[in-house]
Amino acid sequence: MTNDTAVYDALRVDPINGGKEWAGRMGTRRAIARDGFTIDPASLAYCPHEWLNENGYVDLERVQSSPRLFTL
């Protein structure tokens, strides 16, 4: 496994104050844009593509079953 896939924090608009807040997930640019979120460019990380689910988001169960950590 190599850290070959760029992933980012997904941000959503806070309905109360209009600011951006973390949506609770990390994913590929394509997945985040498709689902209407925005990308936090400062959150760039790389992970093995095996950690991504079919929707393009990091699957925490797959991460926890692997001895590797995210690499920045």
Side-chain angles (χ1 to χ4, degrees):
M1 254 192 289
T2 59
N3 291 339
D4 60 357
T5 306
V7 292
Y8 302 85
D9 283 336
L11 302 176
R12 64 179 170 219
V13 176
D14 182 332
I16 296 172
N17 66 21
K20 292 183 180 179
E21 65 181 13
W22 186 52
R25 54 178 70 175
M26 292 185 80
T28 63
R29 283 183 172 272
R30 180 177 291 167
I32 292 169
R34 177 195 66 226
D35 294 340
F37 298 116
T38 58
I39 293 170
D40 178 2
S43 69
L44 172 63
Y46 292 90
C47 74
H49 65 272
E50 293 89 353
W51 289 1
L52 299 177
N53 64 22
E54 61 279 353
N55 296 319
Y57 290 100
V58 175
D59 183 324
L60 292 181
E61 289 182 16
R62 294 180 188 184
V63 173
Q64 292 171 348
S65 68
S66 174
R68 303 183 79 180
L69 298 174
F70 275 101
T71 302
L72 300 176

